[in-house]
Amino acid sequence: LSIIGVKQVMLSDSQYVYVVPRDGKIIVGKNRDFSFVGRVHAGLFDFIANECTFIYDKFSLSMPRIDSASMVAVAWTPDGNGFRPFVKVKNVLARLNADLFIDAPDSKSGRKMLHHYPLLISKDTSYVFFERKDIVKGVYKKSNFYFEVYPFEMDSLNSLPTSDLRFDGNFRSAGIFPDIKQQIKVQKDYSL
């Protein structure tokens, strides 16, 4: 069943996970499963994906072709009112293949408060690129200057502290340095 004119599908209001089909179209299959192309919002993450399948029984999203995952972080310091607002992280994760587990399959309605959901499982290597005009006029080309992010699991996407937005991997610097195995994390200026 093809449904057109879909602006948004709220999958879980308790875990705040929703999807926005790029062309306003979803394809509904058996057992309430559906597929689409577009944006997935889950907690502190927004994914732009070319293939998404919602699997009702597992209450999860399969996203094998994610172009980018942008993140927001809780501000390092409080504002004038004592609150820590959300700040957009300057870099994105690119080329992900991941599954997003929205909530426990027996808690689709959110009747149980399970704080470790949503849960993201990255299944392959993804990347952080630095080829941007605001970084040394774009000199760091994607082809040879990047950070390889190893597959990872990240839970509690709704309440993740900024210090936990970090990823293990390998830094490739176009031959400036030998490859460096390290961790990339949110810096004080909200870049990775």
Side-chain angles (χ1 to χ4, degrees), residues 130-139 141:
F130 304 92
E131 185 177 354
R132 294 187 351 220
K133 294 286 183 197
D134 63 322
I135 302 175
V136 197
K137 299 180 182 174
V139 73
K141 302 300 180 194

Side-chain angles (χ1 to χ4, degrees), residues 127-191:
Y127 302 89
V128 176
F129 298 113
F130 304 92
E131 185 177 354
R132 294 187 351 220
K133 294 286 183 197
D134 63 322
I135 302 175
V136 197
K137 299 180 182 174
V139 73
Y140 300 125
K141 302 300 180 194
K142 290 180 180 180
S143 59
N144 59 12
F145 194 99
Y146 54 87
F147 188 86
E148 274 179 325
V149 177
Y150 299 149
F152 63 90
E153 289 187 22
M154 189 170 282
D155 63 19
S156 311
L157 296 187
N158 285 323
S159 59
L160 203 60
T162 301
S163 58
D164 287 353
L165 278 173
R166 58 179 146 202
F167 308 92
D168 292 325
N170 188 30
F171 178 56
R172 298 185 183 262
S173 62
I176 298 168
F177 302 107
D179 291 356
I180 303 169
K181 291 189 187 317
Q182 66 178 43
Q183 197 173 74
I184 194 168
K185 57 187 177 181
V186 178
Q187 302 298 306
K188 293 299 179 187
D189 68 350
Y190 303 101
S191 65

Side-chain angles (χ1 to χ4, degrees), residues 77-118:
T77 56
D79 62 16
N81 296 319
F83 296 106
R84 292 180 180 227
F86 289 115
V87 179
K88 187 169 180 153
V89 175
K90 294 178 181 177
N91 305 85
V92 299
L93 297 176
R95 302 180 189 165
L96 276 90
N97 170 6
D99 289 334
L100 177 71
F101 293 87
I102 301 163
D103 210 333
D106 63 347
S107 183
K108 293 179 179 86
S109 66
R111 65 183 175 86
K112 299 178 190 175
M113 283 308 295
L114 303 170
H115 297 288
H116 59 282
Y117 285 100

Side-chain angles (χ1 to χ4, degrees), residues 17-77:
V17 175
Y18 63 87
V19 302
V20 179
R22 183 179 305 152
D23 53 4
K25 179 179 177 181
I26 63 172
I27 309 294
V28 180
K30 294 181 181 179
N31 193 31
R32 294 160 281 195
D33 294 355
F34 66 87
S35 58
F36 65 97
V37 172
R39 182 167 69 99
V40 175
H41 177 85
L44 304 177
F45 285 78
D46 269 312
F47 304 94
I48 304 299
N50 284 316
E51 291 177 29
C52 293
T53 303
F54 172 67
I55 304 159
Y56 180 77
D57 282 344
K58 294 181 180 178
F59 207 50
S60 68
L61 281 162
S62 171
M63 303 181 289
R65 291 182 51 221
I66 302 169
D67 286 342
S68 65
S70 58
M71 300 161 271
V72 293
V74 178
W76 291 111
T77 56

Side-chain angles (χ1 to χ4, degrees), residues 114-127:
L114 303 170
H115 297 288
H116 59 282
Y117 285 100
L119 167 67
L120 179 67
I121 299 177
S122 159
K123 303 193 303 192
D124 290 323
T125 301
S126 53
Y127 302 89

